[in-house]
Amino acid sequence: MTAGAPQLEIRFRGRVIEHLGIDMYQSPVAAIAELVSNAWDADATDVCVSLPANVKDAQAAIVIKDDGEGMTLKQCQERYLNVGCNRRRDRGSETTPLGRPMMGRKGIGKFAGFGIARFVEVDTVSKETGERTVFQLDADQLIGESHGYADSEPLRVDVLTYEKASLERAGDHGTTITLRDLTLKVTPNGGRFRTSMARRFLLLERADQFKVRVNDEPITDDENVEKIEFSFPKAYEEHNLKTPDGVEVDGEWGIEKLPSGQKIRWRFVFYEQPIADDELVGVSVFSHYKLAQRPFLFNLTGGLGGQQGTHYLSGRVEADFLDEQSRDLISTERQRVNWDVDESRPLLEWGQSRVRELLRHWQNLRARSKVDAIRSRVRPFSQRLSKLEPHERRIVDKALTSLAKVPSLTQDQFADLADSTLSAWEGGRLKELIDDLAQAESMDAEKLVRILAESRVMSALHAAEHVKGQLNLITGLEERVKQRDLELQVRNYIAENPWLISPEWETFRVEKGIEGLVDEIAQVAYGGDWDARVDLVLSSGSQLLVIEFMRPGLKVDWDHLNRYERYVTKLRHATVARTSEFKLVSGLLVADKIDQGADVIDKVASLRANGMDATDWAGLLRGARKQWEDYFDILYNRAPEDPRMQQLGDGHGGWQAST
């Protein structure tokens, strides 16, 4: 304590100590939000919250520093230590000197720090005089002195530091609150803390001259904008919906008056997926930029149209009038509004009506968007669908529409299920189930599960049939290998069906765009003294695959492999240098025979590790068969009890080649 420094005293007014925050602000976000609110009311433009790396450290502290107007010694006594002092009444205004609507009202939020710490140290410099005052409050001392919750003798507070007025110091005005001897059990996560803090205010949208940082990073509300499917009121116009009477659209927000004449601003969004973050589910109500009601659904219960949408809904309502009433409608910890009074009732009824309306819109828009998506997906099947009878097409279309109305299906799930439904009808399967689905106005969970389960089997069956066809083709190629029939027809067939060699090649296609470059590199790598050529170039995305078929009867030796390696290496460098499309180049050399010398075997292994394989025809087809058989086994195990799958696998739980 500074020698000869004055003393302060803290006075309690009646039972107000029970509101000090020890029981009310045990969440670090809730406690610190109150101190940030005080900085707003002090006309601060910058607030920095510093969190400790480990709350279990004996020296751990949380520091909240602002550049607001600060306090003189006299103001420390009359404003801060006069518990229950109403700042609005004290100043005779509902706004700060800068014209901000004041957040503080009860005069007790400054004690919120006691909810998470024993000691609260205040270090303040007055903008008016430059006085600096430092003092500390001890929760244990406060509780002990006021145990009876009655008026008592003032509790003396030692001033640790007092520096007299100084115009030079006044330029460094502001207040720093340090919380020590923390009672937290878990160290706050900085990123999560920033998001939670942002959600307690409307500062990001409404206050350009007030910045809050946590560990030197600005608070941000991670709204995941890219995951929002519908944003109201903007979505009214975007989706050709009638904007409700009296709603004025201002960018992302709607502005309207309640029947009682009070003006509100609002924005509701629906996400593509159910919201996993509890802090985001429901509608938050703010008053004077600060949270007044944690997210809720305006006390609505069951029986809502599109009720599933409540899991996708997040919203904000700005209702300043709630904090401007003669009676205090907002709970001390700023978590809930008293909705049982005439002043708040119009907003509650408005919210109930708006939520019901938007849930209905959400249900219809989800159905519409899913149907539009499937129509787009169905277009490639138009030729196959045209072979169906008209009444069959109508049944399938109605079935897809019925599926689209199931809110719990994501867009991808719906697309896959619709594709399976079309394929099942095409194959003569599930017709009774699909017909039932077409007649259903809505679908219960049991029926949906049954469809999903059968659809899974259908998808596996269709894929397994495809694999069986590929394996039969490989069998035919193996016969040609035995007969040494490896010339142009076989090569052309592989060029047209590269996925035959490996399921991984399903997405590859013949690439003609770089034929000139390929020929140029082949001439450099091979020269004119060796009769070899690149037979096939395939591409998929940014990957290029070059396949060289050696002429029949030729055995690949060390020299062949060196030239092949030189070619692929040069092609890699050339494609990177001359094109922006291809980033990965790999190779495959296929011959009648591969020299079995140890040096050649080692060379092949080295090439293989570098994306350049070399094999004979028998090895190529043997590897292809093994990959497709493994794929079939995976599909078989999705429905091993299904007789149709057993028939495909000849009843042996896996593939047996047809002969």
Side-chain angles (χ1 to χ4, degrees):
M1 181 175 73
T2 304
Q7 281 196 326
L8 297 168
E9 59 186 31
I10 184 167
R11 298 189 179 115
F12 305 115
R13 294 184 175 180
R15 298 173 59 86
V16 76
I17 189 155
E18 61 187 350
H19 298 296
L20 281 176
I22 297 171
D23 296 324
M24 204 168 298
Y25 297 103
Q26 295 181 358
S27 154
V29 173
I32 294 173
E34 289 299 323
L35 303 178
V36 171
S37 298
N38 287 346
W40 167 272
D41 288 346
D43 278 338
T45 59
D46 184 78
V47 182
C48 185
V49 178
S50 298
L51 302 175
N54 183 1
V55 296
K56 295 182 179 179
D57 188 328
Q59 303 303 314
I62 295 175
V63 180
I64 303 94
K65 182 177 182 179
D66 70 60
D67 62 353
E69 62 186 6
M71 294 178 286
T72 64
L73 179 71
K74 181 180 179 181
Q75 289 167 340
C76 287
Q77 177 63 76
E78 295 180 351
R79 293 183 184 176
Y80 200 96
L81 297 177
N82 195 354
V83 182
C85 173
N86 187 315
R87 182 178 289 193
R88 301 183 194 182
R89 195 161 50 239
D90 178 59
R91 294 193 175 192
S93 174
E94 293 285 331
T95 61
T96 70
L98 288 181
R100 295 176 177 174
M102 296 187 70
M103 293 184 182
R105 176 166 183 160
K106 299 175 177 67
I108 58 176
K110 55 205 166 196
F111 294 105
F114 288 125
I116 59 174
R118 174 182 171 183
F119 297 107
V120 175
E121 181 186 281
V122 179
D123 185 343
T124 183
V125 175
S126 169
K127 179 179 181 180
E128 179 183 353
T129 67
E131 291 175 70
R132 179 181 177 225
T133 307
V134 183
F135 60 91
Q136 179 174 275
L137 301 177
D138 180 349
D140 289 352
Q141 186 181 20
L142 293 176
I143 295 171
E145 291 289 336
S146 58
H147 182 69
Y149 301 108
D151 290 340
S152 65
E153 289 297 318
L155 173 65
R156 287 182 297 181
V157 177
D158 290 333
V159 176
L160 304 180
T161 301
Y162 176 71
E163 299 175 15
K164 294 182 179 180
S166 166
L167 293 179
E168 182 178 352
R169 191 184 305 111
D172 193 27
H173 57 85
T175 299
T176 300
I177 306 291
T178 303
L179 309 179
R180 294 192 178 90
D181 197 357
L182 302 175
T183 58
L184 299 175
K185 303 299 182 184
V186 179
T187 301
N189 174 275
R192 178 68 179 173
F193 190 94
R194 278 186 287 273
T195 299
S196 295
M197 182 64 67
R199 289 174 182 168
R200 297 187 73 89
F201 299 95
L202 280 177
L203 302 176
L204 300 179
E205 296 94 339
R206 306 280 284 138
D208 295 334
Q209 301 302 315
F210 187 70
K211 306 301 179 187
V212 180
R213 293 172 291 131
V214 175
N215 291 345
D216 283 331
E217 293 188 34
I219 62 172
T220 55
D221 184 356
D222 185 15
E223 193 179 41
N224 291 324
V225 175
E226 71 279 1
K227 297 181 180 179
I228 291 176
E229 189 171 18
F230 310 114
S231 176
F232 288 90
K234 190 170 65 172
Y236 286 122
E237 181 177 354
E238 291 177 341
H239 297 281
N240 298 316
L241 303 173
K242 182 181 183 301
T243 302
D245 294 337
V247 175
E248 175 189 344
V249 180
D250 180 18
E252 298 283 344
W253 290 76
I255 302 173
E256 61 182 301
K257 284 187 177 181
L258 301 176
S260 57
Q262 311 287 5
K263 187 172 78 170
I264 61 172
R265 301 174 77 252
W266 61 274
R267 180 184 181 228
F268 292 176
V269 300
F270 290 94
Y271 285 82
E272 294 177 350
Q273 302 286 345
I275 302 171
D277 188 344
D278 289 341
E279 287 188 354
L280 209 56
V281 182
V283 180
S284 301
V285 179
F286 294 82
S287 192
H288 288 164
Y289 306 154
K290 189 177 180 183
L291 184 68
Q293 168 70 56
R294 64 174 176 256
F296 78 141
L297 289 172
F298 294 95
N299 298 337
L300 288 171
T301 54
L304 301 172
Q307 182 159 349
Q308 187 72 24
T310 59
H311 302 294
Y312 298 73
L313 171 63
S314 180
R316 294 180 176 182
V317 175
E318 187 175 359
D320 287 345
F321 76 90
L322 291 173
D323 203 20
E324 296 170 355
Q325 304 301 309
S326 58
R327 74 165 79 181
D328 198 347
L329 305 182
I330 303 170
S331 65
T332 302
E333 80 282 15
R334 306 286 297 203
Q335 292 286 291
R336 58 191 180 279
V337 171
N338 182 355
W339 298 107
D340 295 325
V341 296
D342 292 341
E343 292 88 342
S344 60
R345 176 63 58 176
L347 178 57
L348 183 71
E349 293 174 350
W350 170 88
Q352 292 174 343
S353 174
R354 184 66 69 232
V355 167
R356 287 193 180 99
E357 174 224 350
L358 294 183
L359 286 176
R360 289 193 297 270
H361 284 318
W362 173 82
Q363 186 177 35
N364 292 332
L365 287 173
R366 289 271 289 194
R368 185 195 305 176
S369 65
K370 287 179 179 178
V371 171
D372 289 345
I374 196 59
R375 296 208 188 290
S376 175
R377 187 180 175 89
V378 166
R379 287 192 192 101
F381 301 103
S382 57
Q383 185 174 359
R384 291 159 55 189
L385 290 173
S386 65
K387 298 177 182 179
L388 296 177
E389 294 295 328
H391 76 280
E392 291 183 314
R393 287 199 298 272
R394 285 194 295 271
I395 291 173
V396 174
D397 183 71
K398 289 181 67 177
L400 298 183
T401 302
S402 182
L403 281 175
K405 291 181 179 180
V406 180
S408 57
L409 286 178
T410 67
Q411 194 64 50
D412 288 342
Q413 289 171 333
F414 172 67
D416 289 342
L417 185 54
D419 183 40
S420 297
T421 301
L422 286 167
S423 297
W425 184 279
E426 224 177 21
R429 304 184 177 108
L430 297 181
K431 286 199 172 186
E432 181 178 350
L433 188 61
I434 295 171
D435 191 54
D436 289 345
L437 177 60
Q439 305 305 319
E441 291 297 325
S442 60
M443 192 183 318
D444 58 31
E446 183 179 351
K447 179 176 286 187
L448 176 60
V449 168
R450 187 158 57 98
I451 291 173
L452 288 171
E454 185 65 14
S455 174
R456 175 183 168 88
V457 173
M458 288 300 100
S459 296
L461 279 170
H462 283 296
E465 288 170 345
H466 170 67
V467 173
K468 182 175 180 178
Q470 299 294 69
L471 285 165
N472 283 331
L473 288 173
I474 291 174
T475 299
L477 286 176
E478 287 173 330
E479 289 300 318
R480 290 197 172 198
V481 168
K482 292 176 183 178
Q483 299 169 14
R484 306 190 62 78
D485 183 9
L486 302 173
E487 280 302 313
L488 193 59
Q489 287 185 344
V490 174
R491 299 180 189 185
N492 287 346
Y493 187 82
I494 291 177
E496 294 170 2
N497 306 277
W499 52 85
L500 178 67
I501 302 303
S502 171
E504 296 178 358
W505 294 8
E506 287 271 17
T507 60
F508 279 81
R509 59 180 176 80
V510 175
E511 177 59 55
K512 298 183 179 295
I514 60 169
E515 285 182 342
L517 176 61
V518 170
D519 290 341
E520 176 188 333
I521 300 301
Q523 286 294 325
V524 173
Y526 293 137
D529 60 342
W530 187 41
D531 183 15
R533 60 191 174 88
V534 175
D535 294 88
L536 185 61
V537 180
L538 305 173
S539 68
S540 177
S542 62
Q543 184 177 357
L544 202 65
L545 173 64
V546 291
I547 305 176
E548 181 179 330
F549 298 107
M550 302 297 291
R551 67 177 181 271
L554 187 66
K555 179 188 290 186
V556 172
D557 58 19
W558 179 275
D559 184 50
H560 295 144
L561 293 176
N562 274 339
R563 296 189 182 209
Y564 162 66
E565 180 181 28
R566 184 184 182 206
Y567 166 72
V568 176
T569 301
K570 282 185 171 293
L571 185 60
R572 283 176 176 172
H573 292 304
T575 53
V576 171
R578 301 190 199 181
T579 73
S580 59
E581 185 176 358
F582 301 110
K583 306 297 182 185
L584 178 64
V585 178
S586 55
L588 174 65
L589 184 149
V590 185
D592 273 8
K593 297 179 181 179
I594 304 289
D595 192 314
Q596 294 302 300
D599 57 340
V600 174
I601 293 175
D602 286 348
K603 182 66 174 179
V604 170
S606 173
L607 290 172
R608 196 167 288 156
N610 196 26
M612 292 176 270
D613 200 2
T615 184
D616 57 20
W617 279 98
L620 178 70
L621 296 178
R622 186 168 55 248
R625 171 175 290 283
K626 179 64 168 60
Q627 290 188 63
W628 284 108
E629 286 176 350
D630 289 346
Y631 186 19
F632 182 89
D633 286 340
I634 292 172
L635 297 169
Y636 185 94
N637 287 326
R638 291 181 184 175
E641 305 301 324
D642 189 274
R644 296 162 294 186
M645 186 67 80
Q646 291 175 352
Q647 184 178 5
L648 282 175
D650 291 336
H652 294 288
W655 165 257
Q656 286 193 340
S658 300
T659 57

